Structures are given as C-alpha cells and as structure tokens.
Amino acid sequence: MAETLLDKVWRLHTVRELPSGQTQLFIGLHLIHEVTSPQAFLMLRELGLKVRFPNRTFATIDHIVPTDSQARPFADWLAEQMTVALVKNCQDFGITLFDLGSGRQGIVHVIGPELGLTQPGMTIACGDSHTSTHGAFGALAFGIGTSQVRDVLATQCLAMSKPKLRRIVVEGTLPRGVYAKDVILAIIRRLGVKGGVGYAYEYAGSTIVAMTMEERMTLCNMTIEGGARIGYVNPDRTTFEYLRGRPFAPQGEAFERAVQWWQQIASDPGATYDDEVHFDAATLQPMVTWGITPGQSVGVTEPIPEPEEVPEAERAAYWEALDFMSFRPGQRLIGTPIDVAFIGSCTNSRLSDLRVAAEIVRGRKVARGVRALVVPGSEAVARAAEAEGLHEIFQDAGFEWRKPGCSMCLGMNPDRLRGREICASSSNRNFKGRQGSPTGRTLLMSPAMVAAAAIAGHVVDVREVLR
Amino acid sequence: MTSAIIREITGRGIPLPGDDIDTDRIIPGRFLRCVTFEGLEAHVFADDRQQNPDHPFNQEKYLGASLLIVGRNFGCGSSREHAPQALMRWGIRGIIGESFAEIFFANCTAIGVPCVTVSAEDARWLREVVAAHPEMELRLNLEAMTVHAGDRQLAAHMPEGARRQFLEGTWNSTFVLLEAGEAIERTAAQLPYVTGF
C-alpha cells in the first residue's frame, strides 16, 4: 500500500503502543539550548536518571547570547547563569555542546542542518517550536516543552498521537521579489493560524521542488505559525547534495547507502492524504503583516481588510490588532515609517538570505533615524558571509553587523525594541511584545523587503527596487 | 511509579477574553531568563496586565480561581513550558476553551493541567457567567467529560489519549516511557542512521 513519509517514519520509530492509545516514538535527534533545558536536567537529577542516549542529543546556546560582545561573563547575570547551567549539564551528562567561539555555535535550527545533524527520515525534537524547520529535509521534526525534553533525555522517546496529514501543493514559478517567506505567509493567511492544529503539513508541487534547502527551511520553519507542529518536504536530489560532505552526514560509501534509504523514505506516488490544498506561485506577491498574529498579513500592494471582509468570529481579534498597531481598516502599508530593521532569526538568517539583502543595500544608505541590524544565524554563516564581504556591504550602508544568536526575534538578549517602535523584521512572530518591548510593533516580511525598508525608511515594494 | 490520577477539578473560574492568545503574552520572553520555574506566577500576563488595569489577572475577585476560561487557539506560538508553569503556579488547575494550540496542550498535559474544549457558544456563555458570578463553583469532570456551572451542564472534549493519561495517572510520561525497557534500544538498532548506514 502506498504510504506517506509521515506513515513510514512514524512506523519505523514506533517503540510500542501505549496504554493511553498514544505511540511511544523513538526520537532520532534531540537538540537542546539554554532556555528550555535547565529545568529538564534538574528534574532528571531529582529522579536520579541518566541521559539514555547522550550521543543523540546536541546542545548550543542561542536565545540569550548578546550579539555585540560575547565575552564571558555576560553583562546580564541571568543570561550568564543560564549559560553556566548549560555548560555544566552538558559536561555532567556527556552531551556535545557547540559553544560560543567553537566555530559551530548558532541558532539551533541553523546549525542542525549546516552540520549535517539533520537528516531525512529522522524524528527530531527540540524544546523550541521552530523545530519544524528541520522538516525541510524530510524529517518529522517538532517542538516540545521542558517536561518532554526531560522525557527525551531520560528515554529518547516521547508519548505522541499521530497527526493527520495535509498536502500543500504550490505550483509554478515565484515572481521576482517573492520568496519562500512570502509563500509561507500566504499559506498561513489562507489556512489561518489554527488551521494546522491536529495536522502535519507535507509541502509539495513544482515551486517547492525548485526551492533550495535554505528556502525549504524558511517554509517549514513557520509551519508552527499556521498551527501545525510538523511540516516537511520529501527528500530529493537537492536534499542529498546539500548534505554531502557535511561534518555529521554519512561519509563515502555510507553516504551512497544513506541516499538509497532516504529515497525510500519519501511519500509514495498514490499515497492518500486527509486534506489537500493548492496555491499558484505566480499569483503571490511580497507579504507584510499588519496585525499581531502571523495570519494577519496582506500582499504589499493590498489594503488592510475592511471589517466586513473579516469573518465575524475573527473580528474582535481584528480590532484588537488594529488598535495595537495603530493602523486603520483599508490602509495600505507601503509608506509606513519604520524605526528598526532586523535581518536575522531561525526563519531568515542563512547565507542566501544575507546575500539577497546585501544585493539590495549595496551602495545605498540606511535611512536616517532607522536602527538596522544583521544577525547571522551561526558562526559558520557569519564566516561565509564575511568571506564574501557581505558584512562590509551592510556596514557601509549603516547596518550593524552582529554576532550569531536569536537576538531581536524574541528580545531575550539586550537586542530589543524600545517603546512603540515599528520594526521591519525577517523573523517569524508579530505577537504583542514579542520583540522585547511590551508596546513594540512588528511587521513580518522577507529579508529583501526588510533591506528595502531599511534604505527607504518606510515599507516599500521590493519589486520596485529590483526593477 | 505514576503521577496523580485526575478525575475532577472543582473551583472558581477566571474568564480571559480574546482569541489567539500566544505564550509570549502569557509569559513575556524576558521572564524566561531563569534556570527554574519558581516564581513565574508573579509574571503571568505581565505586559497585558500592565497595559490593562481591568485584566482578569489584576482583579481581586478572581484570586484563588482554579479554572481558566479562554477562547480560540489559546497558547499558540512558542513552545515555552514557562507559560503553563506560570499559570499552574498562579493556581490554575484546568483550562476550558474553544480550542488550544498543540504544543501548549501537550505541555499542560505533561504537568497535569487538563485542557478541555467546549463549543464556541458555551465558551462565550461560560466567560460571561463567571464574570457575572465570580463566586460560582465550576466542576470539570474528565470521566463524564462535562463542565458544571450553576444548573447547567456543558459537553467537554479532549483527545482520548490525553484523557486516559489523566484518568490513569500517567500524564507524567517519563516512567511510562521507561517501562518499554530494551524495546527502545531494539527500535534504535533498526534505524540505519543510528547504526551508521
């Protein structure tokens, strides 16, 4: 019988059916960081348990690291304390840590793929909702909370219920100036921020097949913003070529054997899905959010919806969003002044993102009064970008070139909005207060759109800049 | 070893207006700079409470409430368990709402806080009636899957797997998972990426 990747990977990782009716699922790769792991290690110590498979957990530090000076001890005593705890826990339990300055540190969802840890056919868990990113490789990857981090450390397993599967088919060529970020924002706008609850998403179609791995990561990254915990792309030649030669990928003949297995993992032709939706890439335009959920977005030339266009059940949230953002029904976002431009986060901080943005800022200057920063996703991304001179292009334009970390995506480190600032951001969440100021406002968009807004000082249609 | 069996939660309610309330709002990111969950209750909805003096978590009449009544897609966004931990440490023992985000639901289950859904109409009614009668005792029963409020009984829903975890006292899953014993290693040994292709 034809099976989907979800069926196959779920079956291969099933340890047993639990009395509750859930599945005990083996977790092939566990990634941890400083924010959601210390309490899990504490619970483990209290229970007197060891880490069951220490070689299947890898750690890095990303959320709380400052991005200006990373000299220890950090100025923020709490951040320092969290870092000390992570280092000690990794030492005590025999877990590999990619520490600051190791050359391998970075945002957990950037380094997993670039080190070749993330591979097709795996189950991958991390105490971070954007773990869906790793689905780009044809893995079942999902975010978990701290008690579940404890479960994985203690047993390398989780108690899970198998989700339903929705196939999202995107066909056609993306217009110039429209990127993977715009595709996922358009998907979330149509299906809603809770449309994916209970589902995993399989992304398919010619647009997805033509995407690079970094584009697929951006796409899968924001799956959780649409309510689905898991989003994946079937592994193909693009996946295998990306992995070839990476430090933790199989080497030599083992790599060829791995490719054979990875090919078998992909969904079979004729497999059935619980639901299927279609998108036409040619009709998409650069997207910008106007509200306080990632589903509240419009194409950059479109007006914010009028209240009567919004389903009645969503109208209270609509007014709450407009009130918080100080926008009006029917308003167009082009021309909206920005205070801050942020290029970074696990969504859009990889080399290809920085190249696209650098191409737009090259030879131009950041508008007066705009605070602009680029935070590369990892030490490896920073090295590669600097080797190409991208940092100089950004710095010449007036951007700050920072060190890797999660930074202003969630404002756990000193990189935060101030007061009611408006930020053009390549990150993933426009929630109230998300970027570190309780009243700060976020406009989500692609890195190209952020770069163009930084130069203009207000929201622009990047297609005009590229013309 | 098991966790406590949870069949029924009784207590007063606290109604929270709004849909799509994300975990950044339940506990803003700056309060995640910690290595334990202790004291998080002091910061639950910190920014919303600051901006809205009438926020339910600012109102004395709801102090001591144990059942939180919410709308649609409650707990979306970040996987931070700090959010349910902050609610639980504030005193919340169960959550009744129109719908829940998946990771939030799983995190609540893992710490013994059942989240049940009721119809949109019932969720609205329950929020109104609790706001009007904060002293009213509510009763969430996981065996019958009902919510009692005054003389009304509402139908509640929850995925069967999670419901059984509460009724069997297995919501703290570590020990259940450990019971698989060597079957874990046997599963691992059949995965080519574990054995090295």
Side-chain angles (χ1 to χ4, degrees), chain A residues 12-16 18-22 24 26-29 34-36 38-39 42-43 47 49 52-53 56 64 76 78-79 81-82 85 119-123 126-129 143-148 150-151 154-159 161 193-194 196-199 224-225 227-229 250 254 257-258 261-262 292-293 313-314 317 320 324 410-412 416 429 431-434 436 438-439, chain B residues 1 17-25 28-38 40 46-48 50-51 71-82 85 89 98-107 109-112 120 124 159-166 168 170-197:
Chain A
L12 287 166
H13 291 79
T14 295
V15 175
R16 61 175 183 144
L18 293 167
S20 66
Q22 295 169 306
Q24 179 161 353
F26 183 81
I27 301 303
L29 175 65
E34 75 283 8
V35 181
T36 57
Q39 300 86 349
L42 197 63
M43 294 185 233
L47 294 168
L49 293 169
R52 184 80 167 238
F53 287 77
R56 304 224 69 85
I64 53 88
D76 177 356
L78 294 170
Q81 199 184 19
M82 292 165 78
Q119 295 171 19
M122 283 181 165
T123 47
C126 172
D128 192 290
S129 61
I144 55 177
T146 297
S147 293
Q148 290 186 306
R150 171 203 63 204
D151 286 352
T155 71
Q156 203 62 34
C157 293
L158 286 168
S161 295
V193 290
K194 74 183 239 340
V197 172
Y199 283 91
I224 185 64
E225 311 315 335
R229 210 169 171 181
R257 288 194 295 275
W261 187 71
W262 293 339
I292 55 170
T293 80
E314 290 168 25
E320 184 187 3
F324 184 82
L410 82 168
M412 278 191 70
R416 297 178 188 180
R429 286 184 176 141
F431 298 153
K432 285 183 178 181
R434 170 73 177 182
T439 52
Chain B
M1 185 170 167
D19 295 319
D20 300 321
I21 291 179
D22 57 78
T23 53
D24 274 86
R25 282 171 71 179
R30 61 185 181 279
F31 301 113
L32 273 51
R33 288 153 51 245
C34 54
V35 292
T36 77
F37 292 128
E38 277 166 39
L40 284 180
D47 292 343
D48 283 6
Q50 175 73 32
Q51 288 164 29
R72 199 172 59 228
N73 199 28
F74 186 71
C76 59
S78 160
S79 65
R80 59 188 69 171
E81 189 174 306
H82 306 66
Q85 288 277 358
R89 285 159 195 270
E98 206 178 315
S99 62
F100 297 92
E102 233 172 286
I103 302 178
F104 179 83
F105 178 92
N107 285 342
T109 305
I111 61 173
R124 205 176 313 120
E160 189 56 20
R163 179 172 167 261
R164 284 170 64 176
Q165 285 182 293
F166 289 113
E168 292 163 5
T170 57
W171 46 267
N172 182 338
S173 39
T174 302
F175 290 96
V176 179
L177 296 170
L178 279 173
E179 282 167 12
E182 293 301 308
I184 298 173
E185 277 71 17
R186 281 198 298 277
T187 304
Q190 284 166 15
L191 294 165
Y193 66 81
V194 172
T195 55
F197 293 102

Side-chain angles (χ1 to χ4, degrees), chain A residues 136 208-209 211-220 236 239:
Chain A
I208 311 298
V209 170
M211 282 184 177
T212 64
M213 287 316 294
E214 298 196 349
E215 291 171 316
R216 294 178 189 180
M217 285 186 240
T218 299
L219 180 79
C220 290
D236 61 10
T239 321

Side-chain angles (χ1 to χ4, degrees), chain B residues 30-97:
Chain B
R30 61 185 181 279
F31 301 113
L32 273 51
R33 288 153 51 245
C34 54
V35 292
T36 77
F37 292 128
E38 277 166 39
L40 284 180
E41 65 277 11
H43 309 298
V44 69
F45 292 110
D47 292 343
D48 283 6
R49 292 167 72 173
Q50 175 73 32
Q51 288 164 29
N52 174 16
D54 295 330
H55 192 279
F57 280 78
N58 282 340
Q59 296 188 40
E60 219 163 281
K61 62 180 180 182
Y62 296 126
L63 276 178
S66 48
L67 284 161
L68 176 63
I69 327 290
V70 300
R72 199 172 59 228
N73 199 28
F74 186 71
C76 59
S78 160
S79 65
R80 59 188 69 171
E81 189 174 306
H82 306 66
Q85 288 277 358
L87 290 169
M88 182 178 74
R89 285 159 195 270
W90 187 88
I92 299 301
R93 294 289 171 264
I95 312 180
I96 302 163

